[in-house]
Amino acid sequence: MKESPLHHFELHPIGQLSLMGFDISLNKAIFVMWAGLAVVLGLFLLIRKTGVRLVPGKMQSMAEMLLLFLRGLVDDFIGREERKFFPFVAALFFFILSCNMIGLIPGSYTITSQLVVTGTFAIFIFIMTLFIGFGRHGLHFFGILLPAGIPKILIPLMIPIEIISMLARPFSLAVRLFANMTAGHTVLAVLFGMSLSLPWFIGFLPFGFTVLINVLELMVAFIQAYIFTTLTCFYLGDVIKMH
Amino acid sequence: MSSSFRLSIPCRNKMKKGNGLGQGIGIAFRLGTELVVATMIGALIGYAVDHYLGTKPWGILVGLIFGGAAGCLTVYRTAMTLKFDEEDNNGDLTPKGEDS
Protein backbone atom coordinates (compact mmCIF):
# COMPACT_ATOMS: atom_id res chain seq x y z
CA MET A 1 0.00 0.00 0.00
CA LYS A 2 1.57 3.22 -1.11
CA GLU A 3 0.02 6.55 -0.41
CA SER A 4 1.24 9.97 -1.30
CA PRO A 5 2.21 12.05 1.74
CA LEU A 6 0.22 14.87 0.17
CA HIS A 7 -2.91 12.76 0.01
CA HIS A 8 -4.38 14.09 3.22
CA PHE A 9 -4.47 17.62 1.85
CA GLU A 10 -7.02 16.62 -0.77
CA LEU A 11 -10.60 17.64 -0.24
CA HIS A 12 -13.70 15.84 -1.38
CA PRO A 13 -17.19 17.33 -1.13
CA ILE A 14 -19.57 15.62 1.24
CA GLY A 15 -22.86 15.47 -0.64
CA GLN A 16 -24.00 17.96 -3.21
CA LEU A 17 -25.40 21.39 -2.43
CA SER A 18 -25.98 24.24 -4.77
CA LEU A 19 -27.43 27.69 -4.37
CA MET A 20 -28.46 29.66 -7.43
CA GLY A 21 -26.11 27.74 -9.69
CA PHE A 22 -23.14 28.03 -7.32
CA ASP A 23 -21.61 24.88 -5.93
CA ILE A 24 -21.70 25.25 -2.16
CA SER A 25 -21.05 21.61 -1.27
CA LEU A 26 -19.61 21.21 2.17
CA ASN A 27 -16.33 19.46 2.79
CA LYS A 28 -14.06 18.58 5.66
CA ALA A 29 -12.25 21.92 5.62
CA ILE A 30 -15.45 23.89 6.12
CA PHE A 31 -16.46 21.78 9.10
CA VAL A 32 -13.01 22.20 10.60
CA MET A 33 -13.23 25.95 10.06
CA TRP A 34 -16.55 26.00 11.89
CA ALA A 35 -14.99 23.89 14.62
CA GLY A 36 -12.20 26.44 14.92
CA LEU A 37 -14.72 29.24 15.30
CA ALA A 38 -16.71 27.19 17.79
CA VAL A 39 -13.62 26.45 19.88
CA VAL A 40 -12.69 30.12 20.16
CA LEU A 41 -16.23 31.19 20.91
CA GLY A 42 -16.78 28.31 23.33
CA LEU A 43 -13.59 28.95 25.29
CA PHE A 44 -14.31 32.62 25.73
CA LEU A 45 -17.94 31.98 26.63
CA LEU A 46 -16.73 29.44 29.17
CA ILE A 47 -14.37 31.98 30.69
CA ARG A 48 -17.18 34.51 30.88
CA LYS A 49 -19.57 31.99 32.36
CA THR A 50 -17.21 30.94 35.13
CA GLY A 51 -16.98 34.60 35.94
CA VAL A 52 -14.25 37.15 35.41
CA ARG A 53 -12.71 37.26 38.84
CA LEU A 54 -10.27 39.60 40.46
CA VAL A 55 -7.99 36.67 41.18
CA PRO A 56 -7.99 34.90 37.83
CA GLY A 57 -8.32 31.15 37.46
CA LYS A 58 -6.24 29.07 35.07
CA MET A 59 -8.33 29.74 31.97
CA GLN A 60 -8.83 33.38 32.75
CA SER A 61 -5.17 34.09 33.39
CA MET A 62 -4.23 32.30 30.17
CA ALA A 63 -6.73 34.38 28.20
CA GLU A 64 -5.63 37.54 29.98
CA MET A 65 -2.01 36.86 29.22
CA LEU A 66 -2.69 36.32 25.52
CA LEU A 67 -5.01 39.31 25.27
CA LEU A 68 -2.57 41.58 27.06
CA PHE A 69 0.17 40.35 24.80
CA LEU A 70 -1.94 41.15 21.74
CA ARG A 71 -2.86 44.53 23.16
CA GLY A 72 0.85 45.17 23.61
CA LEU A 73 1.34 44.37 19.94
CA VAL A 74 -1.41 46.79 18.94
CA ASP A 75 0.03 49.48 21.22
CA ASP A 76 3.55 48.98 19.95
CA PHE A 77 2.90 48.75 16.24
CA ILE A 78 -0.30 50.68 15.59
CA GLY A 79 -0.37 53.09 18.49
CA ARG A 80 -2.07 53.47 21.82
CA GLU A 81 -4.83 55.69 20.45
CA GLU A 82 -5.72 53.12 17.76
CA ARG A 83 -7.03 50.47 20.11
CA LYS A 84 -10.12 50.00 17.96
CA PHE A 85 -8.09 47.56 15.89
CA PHE A 86 -7.52 45.36 18.91
CA PRO A 87 -10.69 43.23 18.48
CA PHE A 88 -9.82 42.54 14.86
CA VAL A 89 -6.24 41.59 15.67
CA ALA A 90 -7.29 39.41 18.59
CA ALA A 91 -9.97 37.64 16.55
CA LEU A 92 -7.48 36.98 13.77
CA PHE A 93 -4.91 35.59 16.19
CA PHE A 94 -7.29 33.29 18.03
CA PHE A 95 -8.92 32.02 14.84
CA ILE A 96 -5.60 31.17 13.18
CA LEU A 97 -4.26 29.66 16.39
CA SER A 98 -7.30 27.45 16.90
CA CYS A 99 -7.29 26.35 13.24
CA ASN A 100 -3.59 25.48 13.43
CA MET A 101 -4.10 23.58 16.68
CA ILE A 102 -7.14 21.67 15.42
CA GLY A 103 -5.10 20.64 12.41
CA LEU A 104 -2.71 18.81 14.72
CA ILE A 105 -5.42 16.44 15.93
CA PRO A 106 -4.97 13.25 13.89
CA GLY A 107 -7.74 12.76 11.36
CA SER A 108 -8.79 16.40 11.27
CA TYR A 109 -7.83 18.90 8.64
CA THR A 110 -5.61 21.99 8.65
CA ILE A 111 -7.42 24.72 6.80
CA THR A 112 -4.40 27.00 7.03
CA SER A 113 -2.57 24.53 4.77
CA GLN A 114 -4.74 25.77 1.92
CA LEU A 115 -3.41 28.76 0.03
CA VAL A 116 -7.00 29.84 -0.62
CA VAL A 117 -7.66 30.36 3.07
CA THR A 118 -4.43 32.14 3.94
CA GLY A 119 -4.58 34.11 0.70
CA THR A 120 -8.06 35.33 1.54
CA PHE A 121 -6.88 36.51 4.95
CA ALA A 122 -3.87 38.25 3.45
CA ILE A 123 -5.70 39.92 0.56
CA PHE A 124 -8.42 41.10 2.92
CA ILE A 125 -5.80 42.64 5.18
CA PHE A 126 -4.00 44.20 2.23
CA ILE A 127 -7.19 45.80 0.88
CA MET A 128 -8.05 46.95 4.38
CA THR A 129 -4.67 48.66 4.76
CA LEU A 130 -5.16 50.36 1.38
CA PHE A 131 -8.61 51.62 2.40
CA ILE A 132 -7.34 52.84 5.75
CA GLY A 133 -4.33 54.48 4.14
CA PHE A 134 -6.32 56.34 1.51
CA GLY A 135 -9.03 57.16 4.05
CA ARG A 136 -6.58 58.66 6.52
CA HIS A 137 -4.14 60.39 4.23
CA GLY A 138 -6.00 60.88 0.96
CA LEU A 139 -3.65 61.24 -1.99
CA HIS A 140 -0.72 61.81 0.35
CA PHE A 141 -0.84 58.07 0.85
CA PHE A 142 1.21 57.69 -2.34
CA GLY A 143 4.03 59.18 -0.29
CA ILE A 144 4.43 55.76 1.29
CA LEU A 145 6.21 54.78 -1.92
CA LEU A 146 8.91 57.34 -1.19
CA PRO A 147 11.04 56.71 1.89
CA ALA A 148 11.95 59.88 3.74
CA GLY A 149 15.22 61.55 2.90
CA ILE A 150 16.39 59.77 -0.21
CA PRO A 151 18.39 61.62 -2.88
CA LYS A 152 16.44 62.76 -5.94
CA ILE A 153 18.52 60.63 -8.31
CA LEU A 154 17.37 57.48 -6.58
CA ILE A 155 13.65 58.24 -6.86
CA PRO A 156 13.05 56.41 -10.17
CA LEU A 157 14.92 53.45 -8.72
CA MET A 158 13.18 53.43 -5.35
CA ILE A 159 9.60 53.65 -6.57
CA PRO A 160 9.51 50.27 -8.35
CA ILE A 161 11.32 48.67 -5.42
CA GLU A 162 8.83 50.12 -2.97
CA ILE A 163 5.91 49.03 -5.14
CA ILE A 164 7.27 45.49 -5.25
CA SER A 165 7.89 45.37 -1.51
CA MET A 166 4.35 46.70 -0.97
CA LEU A 167 2.85 44.03 -3.25
CA ALA A 168 4.99 41.34 -1.66
CA ARG A 169 3.36 41.93 1.72
CA PRO A 170 0.10 40.00 1.23
CA PHE A 171 1.94 37.27 -0.68
CA SER A 172 4.52 36.76 2.01
CA LEU A 173 1.79 36.73 4.67
CA ALA A 174 -0.18 34.08 2.81
CA VAL A 175 2.75 31.97 1.64
CA ARG A 176 4.44 31.90 5.03
CA LEU A 177 1.50 30.49 6.92
CA PHE A 178 0.53 28.11 4.12
CA ALA A 179 4.06 26.83 3.52
CA ASN A 180 4.87 26.27 7.18
CA MET A 181 1.68 24.38 7.89
CA THR A 182 1.89 22.30 4.71
CA ALA A 183 5.55 21.49 5.26
CA GLY A 184 5.01 20.37 8.84
CA HIS A 185 2.11 18.14 7.97
CA THR A 186 3.92 16.65 5.00
CA VAL A 187 6.86 15.76 7.20
CA LEU A 188 4.48 14.12 9.66
CA ALA A 189 2.81 12.15 6.86
CA VAL A 190 6.15 10.98 5.46
CA LEU A 191 7.34 9.83 8.88
CA PHE A 192 4.09 8.00 9.54
CA GLY A 193 4.35 6.34 6.12
CA MET A 194 7.89 5.25 6.93
CA SER A 195 6.94 3.79 10.28
CA LEU A 196 4.09 1.86 8.67
CA SER A 197 6.10 0.45 5.79
CA LEU A 198 9.24 -0.49 7.73
CA PRO A 199 9.50 -3.58 9.95
CA TRP A 200 8.73 -2.84 13.58
CA PHE A 201 12.30 -2.93 14.90
CA ILE A 202 13.22 0.03 12.68
CA GLY A 203 9.74 1.43 12.31
CA PHE A 204 9.58 2.67 15.88
CA LEU A 205 12.28 5.23 15.08
CA PRO A 206 10.25 7.31 12.62
CA PHE A 207 7.26 6.87 14.89
CA GLY A 208 9.24 8.38 17.74
CA PHE A 209 10.21 11.25 15.49
CA THR A 210 6.57 11.95 14.71
CA VAL A 211 6.05 12.62 18.41
CA LEU A 212 8.94 15.08 18.43
CA ILE A 213 7.77 16.74 15.22
CA ASN A 214 4.31 17.04 16.71
CA VAL A 215 5.75 19.04 19.60
CA LEU A 216 7.62 21.18 17.12
CA GLU A 217 4.41 21.64 15.15
CA LEU A 218 2.63 22.83 18.28
CA MET A 219 5.28 25.51 18.57
CA VAL A 220 5.08 26.34 14.88
CA ALA A 221 1.29 26.62 15.09
CA PHE A 222 1.66 29.21 17.82
CA ILE A 223 4.54 31.04 16.18
CA GLN A 224 2.84 31.26 12.82
CA ALA A 225 -0.32 32.69 14.35
CA TYR A 226 1.89 35.14 16.24
CA ILE A 227 3.81 36.18 13.13
CA PHE A 228 0.64 36.61 11.12
CA THR A 229 -0.85 38.93 13.72
CA THR A 230 2.41 40.81 14.31
CA LEU A 231 2.75 41.52 10.62
CA THR A 232 -0.89 42.54 10.35
CA CYS A 233 -0.30 45.03 13.16
CA PHE A 234 2.91 46.18 11.51
CA TYR A 235 1.25 46.76 8.14
CA LEU A 236 -1.70 48.55 9.73
CA GLY A 237 0.66 50.71 11.75
CA ASP A 238 2.75 51.43 8.67
CA VAL A 239 -0.17 52.83 6.69
CA ILE A 240 -1.51 54.77 9.67
CA LYS A 241 1.77 56.34 10.72
CA MET A 242 3.31 56.51 7.20
CA HIS A 243 6.87 55.68 8.31
CA MET B 1 -13.03 43.98 32.08
CA SER B 2 -10.33 46.57 32.23
CA SER B 3 -9.95 46.35 35.99
CA SER B 4 -9.10 42.67 35.84
CA PHE B 5 -6.74 43.42 32.98
CA ARG B 6 -4.78 45.88 35.01
CA LEU B 7 -4.13 43.33 37.71
CA SER B 8 -1.96 41.05 35.65
CA ILE B 9 0.03 43.56 33.66
CA PRO B 10 3.33 42.10 34.93
CA CYS B 11 2.36 39.02 32.89
CA ARG B 12 3.05 40.93 29.71
CA ASN B 13 6.60 41.73 30.64
CA LYS B 14 7.21 38.18 31.70
CA MET B 15 5.90 36.90 28.41
CA LYS B 16 8.02 39.35 26.50
CA LYS B 17 11.16 38.30 28.28
CA GLY B 18 10.51 34.57 28.23
CA ASN B 19 9.59 34.70 24.57
CA GLY B 20 13.14 35.38 23.35
CA LEU B 21 13.51 32.06 21.58
CA GLY B 22 10.03 32.21 20.10
CA GLN B 23 10.60 35.72 18.84
CA GLY B 24 13.94 34.74 17.35
CA ILE B 25 12.38 31.82 15.50
CA GLY B 26 9.53 34.06 14.42
CA ILE B 27 11.91 36.57 12.93
CA ALA B 28 13.85 33.83 11.19
CA PHE B 29 10.65 32.54 9.59
CA ARG B 30 9.70 36.05 8.57
CA LEU B 31 12.95 37.05 6.93
CA GLY B 32 13.32 33.85 4.95
CA THR B 33 10.02 34.15 3.14
CA GLU B 34 10.34 37.90 2.75
CA LEU B 35 13.38 37.52 0.48
CA VAL B 36 11.91 34.74 -1.63
CA VAL B 37 8.48 36.28 -2.06
CA ALA B 38 9.76 39.73 -3.03
CA THR B 39 12.00 38.19 -5.69
CA MET B 40 9.08 36.11 -6.94
CA ILE B 41 6.79 39.12 -7.18
CA GLY B 42 9.44 41.06 -9.09
CA ALA B 43 9.92 38.20 -11.52
CA LEU B 44 6.16 37.83 -11.90
CA ILE B 45 5.69 41.51 -12.75
CA GLY B 46 8.59 41.27 -15.18
CA TYR B 47 7.06 38.20 -16.77
CA ALA B 48 3.71 39.95 -17.15
CA VAL B 49 5.40 42.94 -18.77
CA ASP B 50 7.21 40.59 -21.15
CA HIS B 51 3.99 38.80 -21.97
CA TYR B 52 1.97 41.90 -22.78
CA LEU B 53 4.60 44.18 -24.29
CA GLY B 54 6.69 41.52 -26.00
CA THR B 55 10.02 42.63 -24.55
CA LYS B 56 10.96 39.02 -24.13
CA PRO B 57 14.02 38.64 -21.92
CA TRP B 58 14.34 42.11 -20.44
CA GLY B 59 11.24 42.44 -18.31
CA ILE B 60 11.91 39.34 -16.25
CA LEU B 61 15.58 40.24 -15.81
CA VAL B 62 14.87 43.74 -14.57
CA GLY B 63 11.96 42.43 -12.50
CA LEU B 64 14.18 39.85 -10.81
CA ILE B 65 16.78 42.46 -9.94
CA PHE B 66 14.20 44.89 -8.57
CA GLY B 67 12.47 42.09 -6.70
CA GLY B 68 15.71 40.99 -5.10
CA ALA B 69 16.45 44.57 -4.15
CA ALA B 70 13.00 44.93 -2.61
CA GLY B 71 13.51 41.72 -0.64
CA CYS B 72 16.87 42.88 0.68
CA LEU B 73 15.39 46.25 1.59
CA THR B 74 12.56 44.64 3.56
CA VAL B 75 14.96 42.35 5.39
CA TYR B 76 17.26 45.27 6.14
CA ARG B 77 14.41 47.33 7.53
CA THR B 78 13.18 44.49 9.71
CA ALA B 79 16.67 43.91 11.04
CA MET B 80 17.07 47.61 11.79
CA THR B 81 13.83 47.80 13.80
CA LEU B 82 15.00 44.73 15.64
CA LYS B 83 18.25 46.33 16.65
CA PHE B 84 16.46 49.41 17.94
CA ASP B 85 14.07 47.23 19.90
CA GLU B 86 16.94 45.55 21.65
CA GLU B 87 18.53 48.87 22.52
CA ASP B 88 15.24 50.16 23.83
CA ASN B 89 14.61 47.19 26.07
CA ASN B 90 17.85 46.53 27.84
CA GLY B 91 20.74 46.39 25.40
CA ASP B 92 21.85 43.05 26.76
CA LEU B 93 22.36 41.47 23.38
CA THR B 94 24.28 44.24 21.67
CA PRO B 95 27.14 45.82 23.61
CA LYS B 96 26.53 49.54 23.78
CA GLY B 97 28.71 52.00 21.94
CA GLU B 98 29.96 49.40 19.52
CA ASP B 99 28.56 50.94 16.38
CA SER B 100 26.80 54.23 16.71
Side-chain angles (χ1 to χ4, degrees):
Chain A
M1 184 196 80
K2 275 196 182 143
E3 202 175 67
S4 156
L6 296 174
H7 181 253
H8 67 282
F9 291 118
E10 282 173 19
L11 281 171
H12 302 287
I14 304 167
Q16 288 293 325
L17 269 176
S18 63
L19 180 75
M20 297 196 296
F22 289 105
D23 185 14
I24 54 161
S25 312
L26 300 177
N27 57 31
K28 216 169 161 185
I30 294 169
F31 286 115
V32 172
M33 197 185 277
W34 287 345
L37 287 174
V39 165
V40 177
L41 188 68
L43 277 181
F44 277 93
L45 281 181
L46 193 74
I47 291 166
R48 273 204 61 157
K49 207 180 159 202
T50 49
V52 180
R53 295 193 205 95
L54 211 60
V55 181
K58 270 181 204 157
M59 293 275 284
Q60 192 192 333
S61 51
M62 185 75 196
E64 269 185 25
M65 218 166 89
L66 284 173
L67 284 172
L68 274 173
F69 178 62
L70 291 171
R71 200 178 66 181
L73 279 184
V74 173
D75 283 355
D76 287 349
F77 285 105
I78 309 180
R80 196 167 275 271
E81 60 285 345
E82 302 286 348
R83 284 225 174 123
K84 60 175 177 288
F85 291 109
F86 171 61
F88 169 71
V89 169
L92 194 70
F93 176 79
F94 283 110
F95 181 55
I96 294 175
L97 183 64
S98 77
C99 286
N100 286 354
M101 290 291 186
I102 284 175
L104 285 174
I105 300 168
S108 74
Y109 191 83
T110 329
I111 60 154
T112 42
S113 70
Q114 293 285 333
L115 197 50
V116 185
V117 177
T118 58
T120 313
F121 285 157
I123 288 170
F124 174 74
I125 289 163
F126 183 63
I127 292 173
M128 193 169 95
T129 56
L130 286 187
F131 267 103
I132 291 170
F134 278 113
R136 291 277 169 101
H137 305 289
L139 288 177
H140 289 292
F141 183 58
F142 283 112
I144 205 171
L145 297 176
L146 272 181
I150 59 161
K152 279 208 172 108
I153 313 166
L154 283 181
I155 287 177
L157 207 63
M158 282 311 280
I159 285 180
I161 291 178
E162 288 290 328
I163 288 174
I164 290 172
S165 72
M166 195 78 186
L167 285 178
R169 285 175 172 188
F171 275 86
S172 67
L173 260 186
V175 168
R176 185 179 307 111
L177 183 57
F178 150 77
N180 277 298
M181 298 323 284
T182 310
H185 285 259
T186 311
V187 168
L188 278 178
V190 168
L191 284 173
F192 269 121
M194 267 164 97
S195 65
L196 280 181
S197 59
L198 289 170
W200 65 268
F201 52 90
I202 310 176
F204 76 91
L205 274 176
F207 189 76
F209 276 122
T210 57
V211 178
L212 291 181
I213 299 279
N214 245 315
V215 177
L216 187 75
E217 281 301 298
L218 268 177
M219 212 170 81
V220 169
F222 189 85
I223 286 174
Q224 289 304 322
Y226 163 69
I227 295 175
F228 202 93
T229 26
T230 317
L231 285 181
T232 307
C233 289
F234 176 69
Y235 296 158
L236 282 172
D238 202 29
V239 297
I240 286 169
K241 288 183 198 155
M242 298 265 294
H243 298 302
Chain B
M1 197 164 123
S2 61
S3 65
S4 64
F5 266 15
R6 214 170 294 140
L7 258 180
S8 41
I9 274 176
C11 276
R12 192 190 144 201
N13 298 332
K14 224 185 264 171
M15 193 154 175
K16 263 198 160 172
K17 266 186 192 160
N19 225 22
L21 176 74
Q23 266 183 351
I25 293 174
I27 283 150
F29 273 126
R30 259 175 73 180
L31 295 185
T33 30
E34 217 81 65
L35 263 178
V36 177
V37 167
T39 316
M40 258 165 54
I41 293 285
L44 220 89
I45 292 172
Y47 186 78
V49 167
D50 272 351
H51 189 78
Y52 287 109
L53 301 184
T55 50
K56 195 71 190 207
W58 297 109
I60 202 165
L61 280 176
V62 174
L64 265 174
I65 291 167
F66 274 115
C72 291
L73 192 70
T74 318
V75 170
Y76 172 75
R77 275 185 191 148
T78 317
M80 275 340 233
T81 54
L82 214 78
K83 200 178 141 220
F84 287 134
D85 278 356
E86 272 167 13
E87 277 170 6
D88 280 350
N89 284 347
N90 42 20
D92 276 346
L93 295 168
T94 45
K96 272 196 178 153
E98 198 182 55
D99 50 6
S100 63

